[in-house]
Amino acid sequence: MPNKPQMAEDIYILGIESSCDDTAAAVLCNGKILSNIVATQKVHQQYGGVVPELASRAHQQNIVPVIHQAIAKANIGKKDISAIAFTRGPGLMGSLLVGTSFAKSLSMGLGIPLIEVNHMQAHILAHFIEEDNFKKPEFPFLAMTISGGHTQIVKVNDYFTMEVIGETMDDAVGEAFDKSAKILGLPYPGGPLIDKYAKEGDPKAFKFPKPKVGGLDFSFSGFKTAVLYFVEKQTKEDPDFIEKNLKDICASIQYTIVEILMDKLKKAVKETGIKQVAIGGGVSANSGIRNALYDAEKRYKWQCFIPKFEYTTDNAAMIAIAGHYKYIKQEFSDFSTTAQARYKI
Ligand code: KG4
Ligand code: ZN
């Protein structure tokens, strides 16, 4: 392990994210963004989902230019970096290995500490990036992480003391969006497109079933099947059904998914008595869930924390802020650390 540093006056953290299909690097100084670069891989679009082998190859191509760009845009030299934070997991093994190996080598080469970060904790800690006019949650708060790979409700007691109190038993909510979109013939990732069409549609036009799952857990596999059967039945009667009703179908799908999420969040608030609610992950960009939370602020007096769009989908600023708080605690990793495809909060 590199020598523990003297605590520098200014803490510069280089964050590296490569868990799925975004190669990202960011530099933060004392928690403030100096640069935040993301190279989103387009190669997967033609396959309708992320192809792991292609993702790791693209990470290999992207990682050097992305990190170069992040350091250049931050207007610092490599010598200024206090520590390197990287995503250890969860994610795709081949993708994680690229970021992990690169972070280790750079840390070794520069003789600065290495900090491993849990991607799901980072989605939550994105709320602690220093921004003007942005309020941070206070501990304890509830966080709902909703992405293409995860759906969790987490009780956040402290920066790194988190408890999963509900999670999906099968598909993630992002998959419910993306698979529904695929059934409608929309390209991957379909979540943002459903959101776009939903804005002009009638959310009550079609009724989709909500799963009956106990406690604070979720299930989305039945929902996707219900959308498939519905679309198959309707297109048998009218081959142009999707084309004629796309906006209404999207609005109805989004309405149901948002209701499923909000039902569980309300239950979590009731059970824990915590009224501070944060969201994170790709699906937190969705206008339906954002509006539902704004509404809950007024209706139930919750205090909601909704991330800026650039911190919703995968990014390295969130990895760097998690690294920043570990740096303050002097919690460093040694070179024996390995990528972890499954990595609990
Ligand atoms: O956090 P993220 O970038 O990657 C994972 O860790 O999975 O999340 C990607 C997911 C995809 O399923 C994508 O369709 C979904 O986030 N997503 C959205 C929206 N923007 C991204 N889903 C619904 N509405 C959106 N506006
Ligand atoms: Zn993510």
mmCIF file with all atom_site columns, all heavy atoms in Angstrom, residues 10-14 26-29 34-35 67-83 110:
data_model
loop_
_atom_site.group_PDB
_atom_site.id
_atom_site.type_symbol
_atom_site.label_atom_id
_atom_site.label_alt_id
_atom_site.label_comp_id
_atom_site.label_asym_id
_atom_site.label_entity_id
_atom_site.label_seq_id
_atom_site.pdbx_PDB_ins_code
_atom_site.Cartn_x
_atom_site.Cartn_y
_atom_site.Cartn_z
_atom_site.occupancy
_atom_site.B_iso_or_equiv
_atom_site.pdbx_formal_charge
_atom_site.auth_seq_id
_atom_site.auth_comp_id
_atom_site.auth_asym_id
_atom_site.auth_atom_id
_atom_site.pdbx_PDB_model_num
ATOM 1   N N   . ASP A 1 10  ? -5.769  21.037 0.383   1.00 0.00 ? 10  ASP A N   1
ATOM 2   C CA  . ASP A 1 10  ? -6.814  20.824 -0.613  1.00 0.00 ? 10  ASP A CA  1
ATOM 3   C C   . ASP A 1 10  ? -6.800  19.354 -1.013  1.00 0.00 ? 10  ASP A C   1
ATOM 4   O O   . ASP A 1 10  ? -5.739  18.795 -1.278  1.00 0.00 ? 10  ASP A O   1
ATOM 5   C CB  . ASP A 1 10  ? -6.550  21.691 -1.847  1.00 0.00 ? 10  ASP A CB  1
ATOM 6   C CG  . ASP A 1 10  ? -6.814  23.151 -1.555  1.00 0.00 ? 10  ASP A CG  1
ATOM 7   O OD1 . ASP A 1 10  ? -7.811  23.440 -0.848  1.00 0.00 ? 10  ASP A OD1 1
ATOM 8   O OD2 . ASP A 1 10  ? -6.025  24.001 -2.003  1.00 0.00 ? 10  ASP A OD2 1
ATOM 9   N N   . ILE A 1 11  ? -7.978  18.778 -1.044  1.00 0.00 ? 11  ILE A N   1
ATOM 10  C CA  . ILE A 1 11  ? -8.056  17.352 -1.392  1.00 0.00 ? 11  ILE A CA  1
ATOM 11  C C   . ILE A 1 11  ? -8.528  17.228 -2.848  1.00 0.00 ? 11  ILE A C   1
ATOM 12  O O   . ILE A 1 11  ? -9.649  17.622 -3.181  1.00 0.00 ? 11  ILE A O   1
ATOM 13  C CB  . ILE A 1 11  ? -9.042  16.612 -0.459  1.00 0.00 ? 11  ILE A CB  1
ATOM 14  C CG1 . ILE A 1 11  ? -8.658  16.814 1.005   1.00 0.00 ? 11  ILE A CG1 1
ATOM 15  C CG2 . ILE A 1 11  ? -9.105  15.132 -0.816  1.00 0.00 ? 11  ILE A CG2 1
ATOM 16  C CD1 . ILE A 1 11  ? -9.695  16.295 1.998   1.00 0.00 ? 11  ILE A CD1 1
ATOM 17  N N   . TYR A 1 12  ? -7.640  16.716 -3.693  1.00 0.00 ? 12  TYR A N   1
ATOM 18  C CA  . TYR A 1 12  ? -7.990  16.500 -5.098  1.00 0.00 ? 12  TYR A CA  1
ATOM 19  C C   . TYR A 1 12  ? -8.204  15.000 -5.304  1.00 0.00 ? 12  TYR A C   1
ATOM 20  O O   . TYR A 1 12  ? -7.262  14.215 -5.106  1.00 0.00 ? 12  TYR A O   1
ATOM 21  C CB  . TYR A 1 12  ? -6.856  16.948 -6.018  1.00 0.00 ? 12  TYR A CB  1
ATOM 22  C CG  . TYR A 1 12  ? -6.681  18.442 -6.104  1.00 0.00 ? 12  TYR A CG  1
ATOM 23  C CD1 . TYR A 1 12  ? -5.801  19.103 -5.240  1.00 0.00 ? 12  TYR A CD1 1
ATOM 24  C CD2 . TYR A 1 12  ? -7.377  19.182 -7.059  1.00 0.00 ? 12  TYR A CD2 1
ATOM 25  C CE1 . TYR A 1 12  ? -5.634  20.478 -5.320  1.00 0.00 ? 12  TYR A CE1 1
ATOM 26  C CE2 . TYR A 1 12  ? -7.208  20.556 -7.141  1.00 0.00 ? 12  TYR A CE2 1
ATOM 27  C CZ  . TYR A 1 12  ? -6.337  21.201 -6.268  1.00 0.00 ? 12  TYR A CZ  1
ATOM 28  O OH  . TYR A 1 12  ? -6.183  22.558 -6.355  1.00 0.00 ? 12  TYR A OH  1
ATOM 29  N N   . ILE A 1 13  ? -9.407  14.613 -5.680  1.00 0.00 ? 13  ILE A N   1
ATOM 30  C CA  . ILE A 1 13  ? -9.673  13.186 -5.913  1.00 0.00 ? 13  ILE A CA  1
ATOM 31  C C   . ILE A 1 13  ? -9.978  12.959 -7.391  1.00 0.00 ? 13  ILE A C   1
ATOM 32  O O   . ILE A 1 13  ? -10.825 13.642 -7.980  1.00 0.00 ? 13  ILE A O   1
ATOM 33  C CB  . ILE A 1 13  ? -10.885 12.696 -5.069  1.00 0.00 ? 13  ILE A CB  1
ATOM 34  C CG1 . ILE A 1 13  ? -10.704 12.993 -3.576  1.00 0.00 ? 13  ILE A CG1 1
ATOM 35  C CG2 . ILE A 1 13  ? -11.144 11.201 -5.321  1.00 0.00 ? 13  ILE A CG2 1
ATOM 36  C CD1 . ILE A 1 13  ? -9.672  12.170 -2.854  1.00 0.00 ? 13  ILE A CD1 1
ATOM 37  N N   . LEU A 1 14  ? -9.261  11.985 -7.974  1.00 0.00 ? 14  LEU A N   1
ATOM 38  C CA  . LEU A 1 14  ? -9.604  11.538 -9.328  1.00 0.00 ? 14  LEU A CA  1
ATOM 39  C C   . LEU A 1 14  ? -10.509 10.323 -9.171  1.00 0.00 ? 14  LEU A C   1
ATOM 40  O O   . LEU A 1 14  ? -10.133 9.346  -8.526  1.00 0.00 ? 14  LEU A O   1
ATOM 41  C CB  . LEU A 1 14  ? -8.331  11.143 -10.097 1.00 0.00 ? 14  LEU A CB  1
ATOM 42  C CG  . LEU A 1 14  ? -8.556  10.418 -11.429 1.00 0.00 ? 14  LEU A CG  1
ATOM 43  C CD1 . LEU A 1 14  ? -9.201  11.332 -12.474 1.00 0.00 ? 14  LEU A CD1 1
ATOM 44  C CD2 . LEU A 1 14  ? -7.247  9.846  -11.978 1.00 0.00 ? 14  LEU A CD2 1
ATOM 45  N N   . ALA A 1 26  ? -13.563 11.845 -13.267 1.00 0.00 ? 26  ALA A N   1
ATOM 46  C CA  . ALA A 1 26  ? -13.881 13.177 -12.752 1.00 0.00 ? 26  ALA A CA  1
ATOM 47  C C   . ALA A 1 26  ? -12.818 13.591 -11.751 1.00 0.00 ? 26  ALA A C   1
ATOM 48  O O   . ALA A 1 26  ? -12.194 12.739 -11.111 1.00 0.00 ? 26  ALA A O   1
ATOM 49  C CB  . ALA A 1 26  ? -15.244 13.164 -12.067 1.00 0.00 ? 26  ALA A CB  1
ATOM 50  N N   . VAL A 1 27  ? -12.622 14.892 -11.636 1.00 0.00 ? 27  VAL A N   1
ATOM 51  C CA  . VAL A 1 27  ? -11.720 15.414 -10.606 1.00 0.00 ? 27  VAL A CA  1
ATOM 52  C C   . VAL A 1 27  ? -12.528 16.350 -9.705  1.00 0.00 ? 27  VAL A C   1
ATOM 53  O O   . VAL A 1 27  ? -13.237 17.236 -10.191 1.00 0.00 ? 27  VAL A O   1
ATOM 54  C CB  . VAL A 1 27  ? -10.523 16.180 -11.221 1.00 0.00 ? 27  VAL A CB  1
ATOM 55  C CG1 . VAL A 1 27  ? -9.643  16.767 -10.117 1.00 0.00 ? 27  VAL A CG1 1
ATOM 56  C CG2 . VAL A 1 27  ? -9.699  15.266 -12.128 1.00 0.00 ? 27  VAL A CG2 1
ATOM 57  N N   . LEU A 1 28  ? -12.445 16.106 -8.408  1.00 0.00 ? 28  LEU A N   1
ATOM 58  C CA  . LEU A 1 28  ? -13.079 16.995 -7.431  1.00 0.00 ? 28  LEU A CA  1
ATOM 59  C C   . LEU A 1 28  ? -11.997 17.629 -6.573  1.00 0.00 ? 28  LEU A C   1
ATOM 60  O O   . LEU A 1 28  ? -11.002 16.980 -6.248  1.00 0.00 ? 28  LEU A O   1
ATOM 61  C CB  . LEU A 1 28  ? -14.003 16.225 -6.483  1.00 0.00 ? 28  LEU A CB  1
ATOM 62  C CG  . LEU A 1 28  ? -15.196 15.428 -6.983  1.00 0.00 ? 28  LEU A CG  1
ATOM 63  C CD1 . LEU A 1 28  ? -16.128 15.129 -5.811  1.00 0.00 ? 28  LEU A CD1 1
ATOM 64  C CD2 . LEU A 1 28  ? -15.960 16.150 -8.061  1.00 0.00 ? 28  LEU A CD2 1
ATOM 65  N N   . CYS A 1 29  ? -12.190 18.902 -6.225  1.00 0.00 ? 29  CYS A N   1
ATOM 66  C CA  . CYS A 1 29  ? -11.308 19.548 -5.257  1.00 0.00 ? 29  CYS A CA  1
ATOM 67  C C   . CYS A 1 29  ? -12.164 19.921 -4.055  1.00 0.00 ? 29  CYS A C   1
ATOM 68  O O   . CYS A 1 29  ? -13.135 20.674 -4.197  1.00 0.00 ? 29  CYS A O   1
ATOM 69  C CB  . CYS A 1 29  ? -10.648 20.786 -5.851  1.00 0.00 ? 29  CYS A CB  1
ATOM 70  S SG  . CYS A 1 29  ? -9.635  21.646 -4.641  1.00 0.00 ? 29  CYS A SG  1
ATOM 71  N N   . LEU A 1 34  ? -14.286 19.780 -10.572 1.00 0.00 ? 34  LEU A N   1
ATOM 72  C CA  . LEU A 1 34  ? -13.417 20.517 -11.495 1.00 0.00 ? 34  LEU A CA  1
ATOM 73  C C   . LEU A 1 34  ? -13.631 19.991 -12.909 1.00 0.00 ? 34  LEU A C   1
ATOM 74  O O   . LEU A 1 34  ? -13.524 20.726 -13.884 1.00 0.00 ? 34  LEU A O   1
ATOM 75  C CB  . LEU A 1 34  ? -11.943 20.370 -11.100 1.00 0.00 ? 34  LEU A CB  1
ATOM 76  C CG  . LEU A 1 34  ? -11.534 20.914 -9.731  1.00 0.00 ? 34  LEU A CG  1
ATOM 77  C CD1 . LEU A 1 34  ? -10.030 20.799 -9.541  1.00 0.00 ? 34  LEU A CD1 1
ATOM 78  C CD2 . LEU A 1 34  ? -11.956 22.376 -9.567  1.00 0.00 ? 34  LEU A CD2 1
ATOM 79  N N   . SER A 1 35  ? -13.910 18.681 -13.006 1.00 0.00 ? 35  SER A N   1
ATOM 80  C CA  . SER A 1 35  ? -14.215 18.104 -14.327 1.00 0.00 ? 35  SER A CA  1
ATOM 81  C C   . SER A 1 35  ? -15.024 16.836 -14.116 1.00 0.00 ? 35  SER A C   1
ATOM 82  O O   . SER A 1 35  ? -14.933 16.203 -13.058 1.00 0.00 ? 35  SER A O   1
ATOM 83  C CB  . SER A 1 35  ? -12.927 17.779 -15.086 1.00 0.00 ? 35  SER A CB  1
ATOM 84  O OG  . SER A 1 35  ? -12.191 16.799 -14.385 1.00 0.00 ? 35  SER A OG  1
ATOM 85  N N   . ILE A 1 67  ? -9.529  9.796  -18.930 1.00 0.00 ? 67  ILE A N   1
ATOM 86  C CA  . ILE A 1 67  ? -8.805  10.274 -17.739 1.00 0.00 ? 67  ILE A CA  1
ATOM 87  C C   . ILE A 1 67  ? -7.936  11.492 -18.082 1.00 0.00 ? 67  ILE A C   1
ATOM 88  O O   . ILE A 1 67  ? -7.896  12.476 -17.345 1.00 0.00 ? 67  ILE A O   1
ATOM 89  C CB  . ILE A 1 67  ? -7.989  9.126  -17.100 1.00 0.00 ? 67  ILE A CB  1
ATOM 90  C CG1 . ILE A 1 67  ? -8.966  8.147  -16.440 1.00 0.00 ? 67  ILE A CG1 1
ATOM 91  C CG2 . ILE A 1 67  ? -6.979  9.656  -16.081 1.00 0.00 ? 67  ILE A CG2 1
ATOM 92  C CD1 . ILE A 1 67  ? -8.361  6.899  -15.885 1.00 0.00 ? 67  ILE A CD1 1
ATOM 93  N N   . HIS A 1 68  ? -7.301  11.434 -19.245 1.00 0.00 ? 68  HIS A N   1
ATOM 94  C CA  . HIS A 1 68  ? -6.507  12.580 -19.713 1.00 0.00 ? 68  HIS A CA  1
ATOM 95  C C   . HIS A 1 68  ? -7.362  13.834 -19.767 1.00 0.00 ? 68  HIS A C   1
ATOM 96  O O   . HIS A 1 68  ? -6.981  14.900 -19.284 1.00 0.00 ? 68  HIS A O   1
ATOM 97  C CB  . HIS A 1 68  ? -6.018  12.311 -21.147 1.00 0.00 ? 68  HIS A CB  1
ATOM 98  C CG  . HIS A 1 68  ? -4.576  11.941 -21.178 1.00 0.00 ? 68  HIS A CG  1
ATOM 99  N ND1 . HIS A 1 68  ? -3.583  12.761 -20.700 1.00 0.00 ? 68  HIS A ND1 1
ATOM 100 C CD2 . HIS A 1 68  ? -3.953  10.829 -21.635 1.00 0.00 ? 68  HIS A CD2 1
ATOM 101 C CE1 . HIS A 1 68  ? -2.425  12.165 -20.842 1.00 0.00 ? 68  HIS A CE1 1
ATOM 102 N NE2 . HIS A 1 68  ? -2.613  10.985 -21.408 1.00 0.00 ? 68  HIS A NE2 1
ATOM 103 N N   . GLN A 1 69  ? -8.541  13.654 -20.357 1.00 0.00 ? 69  GLN A N   1
ATOM 104 C CA  . GLN A 1 69  ? -9.451  14.796 -20.520 1.00 0.00 ? 69  GLN A CA  1
ATOM 105 C C   . GLN A 1 69  ? -9.892  15.344 -19.163 1.00 0.00 ? 69  GLN A C   1
ATOM 106 O O   . GLN A 1 69  ? -9.966  16.558 -18.971 1.00 0.00 ? 69  GLN A O   1
ATOM 107 C CB  . GLN A 1 69  ? -10.688 14.317 -21.281 1.00 0.00 ? 69  GLN A CB  1
ATOM 108 C CG  . GLN A 1 69  ? -11.123 15.246 -22.388 1.00 0.00 ? 69  GLN A CG  1
ATOM 109 C CD  . GLN A 1 69  ? -12.338 14.650 -23.068 1.00 0.00 ? 69  GLN A CD  1
ATOM 110 O OE1 . GLN A 1 69  ? -12.363 13.462 -23.400 1.00 0.00 ? 69  GLN A OE1 1
ATOM 111 N NE2 . GLN A 1 69  ? -13.354 15.465 -23.278 1.00 0.00 ? 69  GLN A NE2 1
ATOM 112 N N   . ALA A 1 70  ? -10.176 14.437 -18.227 1.00 0.00 ? 70  ALA A N   1
ATOM 113 C CA  . ALA A 1 70  ? -10.643 14.877 -16.900 1.00 0.00 ? 70  ALA A CA  1
ATOM 114 C C   . ALA A 1 70  ? -9.548  15.686 -16.197 1.00 0.00 ? 70  ALA A C   1
ATOM 115 O O   . ALA A 1 70  ? -9.825  16.728 -15.599 1.00 0.00 ? 70  ALA A O   1
ATOM 116 C CB  . ALA A 1 70  ? -11.047 13.676 -16.057 1.00 0.00 ? 70  ALA A CB  1
ATOM 117 N N   . ILE A 1 71  ? -8.304  15.221 -16.310 1.00 0.00 ? 71  ILE A N   1
ATOM 118 C CA  . ILE A 1 71  ? -7.205  15.934 -15.637 1.00 0.00 ? 71  ILE A CA  1
ATOM 119 C C   . ILE A 1 71  ? -6.943  17.279 -16.338 1.00 0.00 ? 71  ILE A C   1
ATOM 120 O O   . ILE A 1 71  ? -6.781  18.317 -15.693 1.00 0.00 ? 71  ILE A O   1
ATOM 121 C CB  . ILE A 1 71  ? -5.932  15.053 -15.594 1.00 0.00 ? 71  ILE A CB  1
ATOM 122 C CG1 . ILE A 1 71  ? -6.196  13.829 -14.704 1.00 0.00 ? 71  ILE A CG1 1
ATOM 123 C CG2 . ILE A 1 71  ? -4.737  15.845 -15.071 1.00 0.00 ? 71  ILE A CG2 1
ATOM 124 C CD1 . ILE A 1 71  ? -5.095  12.788 -14.706 1.00 0.00 ? 71  ILE A CD1 1
ATOM 125 N N   . ALA A 1 72  ? -6.978  17.252 -17.683 1.00 0.00 ? 72  ALA A N   1
ATOM 126 C CA  . ALA A 1 72  ? -6.733  18.500 -18.431 1.00 0.00 ? 72  ALA A CA  1
ATOM 127 C C   . ALA A 1 72  ? -7.815  19.534 -18.139 1.00 0.00 ? 72  ALA A C   1
ATOM 128 O O   . ALA A 1 72  ? -7.525  20.702 -17.877 1.00 0.00 ? 72  ALA A O   1
ATOM 129 C CB  . ALA A 1 72  ? -6.673  18.191 -19.930 1.00 0.00 ? 72  ALA A CB  1
ATOM 130 N N   . LYS A 1 73  ? -9.085  19.084 -18.159 1.00 0.00 ? 73  LYS A N   1
ATOM 131 C CA  . LYS A 1 73  ? -10.189 20.025 -17.936 1.00 0.00 ? 73  LYS A CA  1
ATOM 132 C C   . LYS A 1 73  ? -10.144 20.596 -16.515 1.00 0.00 ? 73  LYS A C   1
ATOM 133 O O   . LYS A 1 73  ? -10.528 21.744 -16.280 1.00 0.00 ? 73  LYS A O   1
ATOM 134 C CB  . LYS A 1 73  ? -11.519 19.310 -18.212 1.00 0.00 ? 73  LYS A CB  1
ATOM 135 C CG  . LYS A 1 73  ? -12.734 20.121 -17.975 1.00 0.00 ? 73  LYS A CG  1
ATOM 136 C CD  . LYS A 1 73  ? -13.716 20.089 -19.131 1.00 0.00 ? 73  LYS A CD  1
ATOM 137 C CE  . LYS A 1 73  ? -14.791 21.138 -18.994 1.00 0.00 ? 73  LYS A CE  1
ATOM 138 N NZ  . LYS A 1 73  ? -15.985 20.656 -18.281 1.00 0.00 ? 73  LYS A NZ  1
ATOM 139 N N   . ALA A 1 74  ? -9.674  19.778 -15.565 1.00 0.00 ? 74  ALA A N   1
ATOM 140 C CA  . ALA A 1 74  ? -9.584  20.242 -14.177 1.00 0.00 ? 74  ALA A CA  1
ATOM 141 C C   . ALA A 1 74  ? -8.454  21.261 -14.017 1.00 0.00 ? 74  ALA A C   1
ATOM 142 O O   . ALA A 1 74  ? -8.350  21.936 -12.998 1.00 0.00 ? 74  ALA A O   1
ATOM 143 C CB  . ALA A 1 74  ? -9.351  19.060 -13.248 1.00 0.00 ? 74  ALA A CB  1
ATOM 144 N N   . ASN A 1 75  ? -7.604  21.316 -15.056 1.00 0.00 ? 75  ASN A N   1
ATOM 145 C CA  . ASN A 1 75  ? -6.499  22.264 -15.051 1.00 0.00 ? 75  ASN A CA  1
ATOM 146 C C   . ASN A 1 75  ? -5.530  22.016 -13.897 1.00 0.00 ? 75  ASN A C   1
ATOM 147 O O   . ASN A 1 75  ? -5.101  22.953 -13.226 1.00 0.00 ? 75  ASN A O   1
ATOM 148 C CB  . ASN A 1 75  ? -7.070  23.694 -15.017 1.00 0.00 ? 75  ASN A CB  1
ATOM 149 C CG  . ASN A 1 75  ? -6.117  24.664 -15.654 1.00 0.00 ? 75  ASN A CG  1
ATOM 150 O OD1 . ASN A 1 75  ? -5.164  24.237 -16.320 1.00 0.00 ? 75  ASN A OD1 1
ATOM 151 N ND2 . ASN A 1 75  ? -6.331  25.947 -15.445 1.00 0.00 ? 75  ASN A ND2 1
ATOM 152 N N   . ILE A 1 76  ? -5.265  20.750 -13.656 1.00 0.00 ? 76  ILE A N   1
ATOM 153 C CA  . ILE A 1 76  ? -4.287  20.387 -12.629 1.00 0.00 ? 76  ILE A CA  1
ATOM 154 C C   . ILE A 1 76  ? -3.254  19.458 -13.269 1.00 0.00 ? 76  ILE A C   1
ATOM 155 O O   . ILE A 1 76  ? -3.444  19.013 -14.412 1.00 0.00 ? 76  ILE A O   1
ATOM 156 C CB  . ILE A 1 76  ? -4.942  19.656 -11.427 1.00 0.00 ? 76  ILE A CB  1
ATOM 157 C CG1 . ILE A 1 76  ? -5.640  18.356 -11.890 1.00 0.00 ? 76  ILE A CG1 1
ATOM 158 C CG2 . ILE A 1 76  ? -5.915  20.555 -10.695 1.00 0.00 ? 76  ILE A CG2 1
ATOM 159 C CD1 . ILE A 1 76  ? -5.948  17.404 -10.766 1.00 0.00 ? 76  ILE A CD1 1
ATOM 160 N N   . GLY A 1 77  ? -2.190  19.168 -12.549 1.00 0.00 ? 77  GLY A N   1
ATOM 161 C CA  . GLY A 1 77  ? -1.221  18.186 -13.021 1.00 0.00 ? 77  GLY A CA  1
ATOM 162 C C   . GLY A 1 77  ? -1.451  16.882 -12.269 1.00 0.00 ? 77  GLY A C   1
ATOM 163 O O   . GLY A 1 77  ? -2.111  16.881 -11.215 1.00 0.00 ? 77  GLY A O   1
ATOM 164 N N   . LYS A 1 78  ? -0.907  15.783 -12.788 1.00 0.00 ? 78  LYS A N   1
ATOM 165 C CA  . LYS A 1 78  ? -1.082  14.484 -12.102 1.00 0.00 ? 78  LYS A CA  1
ATOM 166 C C   . LYS A 1 78  ? -0.521  14.552 -10.680 1.00 0.00 ? 78  LYS A C   1
ATOM 167 O O   . LYS A 1 78  ? -1.027  13.916 -9.773  1.00 0.00 ? 78  LYS A O   1
ATOM 168 C CB  . LYS A 1 78  ? -0.366  13.376 -12.884 1.00 0.00 ? 78  LYS A CB  1
ATOM 169 C CG  . LYS A 1 78  ? -1.068  12.965 -14.170 1.00 0.00 ? 78  LYS A CG  1
ATOM 170 C CD  . LYS A 1 78  ? -0.501  11.643 -14.625 1.00 0.00 ? 78  LYS A CD  1
ATOM 171 C CE  . LYS A 1 78  ? -0.382  11.452 -16.104 1.00 0.00 ? 78  LYS A CE  1
ATOM 172 N NZ  . LYS A 1 78  ? 0.330   12.441 -16.903 1.00 0.00 ? 78  LYS A NZ  1
ATOM 173 N N   . LYS A 1 79  ? 0.524   15.367 -10.506 1.00 0.00 ? 79  LYS A N   1
ATOM 174 C CA  . LYS A 1 79  ? 1.165   15.469 -9.189  1.00 0.00 ? 79  LYS A CA  1
ATOM 175 C C   . LYS A 1 79  ? 0.223   16.057 -8.126  1.00 0.00 ? 79  LYS A C   1
ATOM 176 O O   . LYS A 1 79  ? 0.425   15.868 -6.943  1.00 0.00 ? 79  LYS A O   1
ATOM 177 C CB  . LYS A 1 79  ? 2.386   16.405 -9.271  1.00 0.00 ? 79  LYS A CB  1
ATOM 178 C CG  . LYS A 1 79  ? 3.559   15.878 -10.051 1.00 0.00 ? 79  LYS A CG  1
ATOM 179 C CD  . LYS A 1 79  ? 4.776   16.799 -9.879  1.00 0.00 ? 79  LYS A CD  1
ATOM 180 C CE  . LYS A 1 79  ? 4.543   18.287 -10.082 1.00 0.00 ? 79  LYS A CE  1
ATOM 181 N NZ  . LYS A 1 79  ? 3.987   18.760 -11.361 1.00 0.00 ? 79  LYS A NZ  1
ATOM 182 N N   . ASP A 1 80  ? -0.769  16.804 -8.603  1.00 0.00 ? 80  ASP A N   1
ATOM 183 C CA  . ASP A 1 80  ? -1.677  17.462 -7.641  1.00 0.00 ? 80  ASP A CA  1
ATOM 184 C C   . ASP A 1 80  ? -2.700  16.499 -7.041  1.00 0.00 ? 80  ASP A C   1
ATOM 185 O O   . ASP A 1 80  ? -3.348  16.814 -6.041  1.00 0.00 ? 80  ASP A O   1
ATOM 186 C CB  . ASP A 1 80  ? -2.444  18.605 -8.340  1.00 0.00 ? 80  ASP A CB  1
ATOM 187 C CG  . ASP A 1 80  ? -1.502  19.665 -8.862  1.00 0.00 ? 80  ASP A CG  1
ATOM 188 O OD1 . ASP A 1 80  ? -0.571  20.016 -8.126  1.00 0.00 ? 80  ASP A OD1 1
ATOM 189 O OD2 . ASP A 1 80  ? -1.688  20.115 -10.007 1.00 0.00 ? 80  ASP A OD2 1
ATOM 190 N N   . ILE A 1 81  ? -2.889  15.349 -7.683  1.00 0.00 ? 81  ILE A N   1
ATOM 191 C CA  . ILE A 1 81  ? -3.962  14.445 -7.243  1.00 0.00 ? 81  ILE A CA  1
ATOM 192 C C   . ILE A 1 81  ? -3.621  13.841 -5.880  1.00 0.00 ? 81  ILE A C   1
ATOM 193 O O   . ILE A 1 81  ? -2.519  13.333 -5.674  1.00 0.00 ? 81  ILE A O   1
ATOM 194 C CB  . ILE A 1 81  ? -4.185  13.310 -8.283  1.00 0.00 ? 81  ILE A CB  1
ATOM 195 C CG1 . ILE A 1 81  ? -4.516  13.906 -9.655  1.00 0.00 ? 81  ILE A CG1 1
ATOM 196 C CG2 . ILE A 1 81  ? -5.293  12.368 -7.838  1.00 0.00 ? 81  ILE A CG2 1
ATOM 197 C CD1 . ILE A 1 81  ? -4.521  12.882 -10.783 1.00 0.00 ? 81  ILE A CD1 1
ATOM 198 N N   . SER A 1 82  ? -4.566  13.915 -4.944  1.00 0.00 ? 82  SER A N   1
ATOM 199 C CA  . SER A 1 82  ? -4.320  13.398 -3.592  1.00 0.00 ? 82  SER A CA  1
ATOM 200 C C   . SER A 1 82  ? -4.554  11.887 -3.535  1.00 0.00 ? 82  SER A C   1
ATOM 201 O O   . SER A 1 82  ? -3.864  11.181 -2.796  1.00 0.00 ? 82  SER A O   1
ATOM 202 C CB  . SER A 1 82  ? -5.260  14.059 -2.587  1.00 0.00 ? 82  SER A CB  1
ATOM 203 O OG  . SER A 1 82  ? -5.352  15.436 -2.789  1.00 0.00 ? 82  SER A OG  1
ATOM 204 N N   . ALA A 1 83  ? -5.561  11.394 -4.255  1.00 0.00 ? 83  ALA A N   1
ATOM 205 C CA  . ALA A 1 83  ? -5.862  9.957  -4.224  1.00 0.00 ? 83  ALA A CA  1
ATOM 206 C C   . ALA A 1 83  ? -6.728  9.588  -5.435  1.00 0.00 ? 83  ALA A C   1
ATOM 207 O O   . ALA A 1 83  ? -7.348  10.456 -6.047  1.00 0.00 ? 83  ALA A O   1
ATOM 208 C CB  . ALA A 1 83  ? -6.608  9.601  -2.942  1.00 0.00 ? 83  ALA A CB  1
ATOM 209 N N   . LEU A 1 110 ? 2.014   6.901  -9.372  1.00 0.00 ? 110 LEU A N   1
ATOM 210 C CA  . LEU A 1 110 ? 2.097   8.247  -8.785  1.00 0.00 ? 110 LEU A CA  1
ATOM 211 C C   . LEU A 1 110 ? 2.438   8.199  -7.291  1.00 0.00 ? 110 LEU A C   1
ATOM 212 O O   . LEU A 1 110 ? 2.684   9.239  -6.681  1.00 0.00 ? 110 LEU A O   1
ATOM 213 C CB  . LEU A 1 110 ? 0.761   8.989  -8.973  1.00 0.00 ? 110 LEU A CB  1
ATOM 214 C CG  . LEU A 1 110 ? 0.338   9.299  -10.417 1.00 0.00 ? 110 LEU A CG  1
ATOM 215 C CD1 . LEU A 1 110 ? -1.081  9.879  -10.458 1.00 0.00 ? 110 LEU A CD1 1
ATOM 216 C CD2 . LEU A 1 110 ? 1.310   10.281 -11.070 1.00 0.00 ? 110 LEU A CD2 1
#
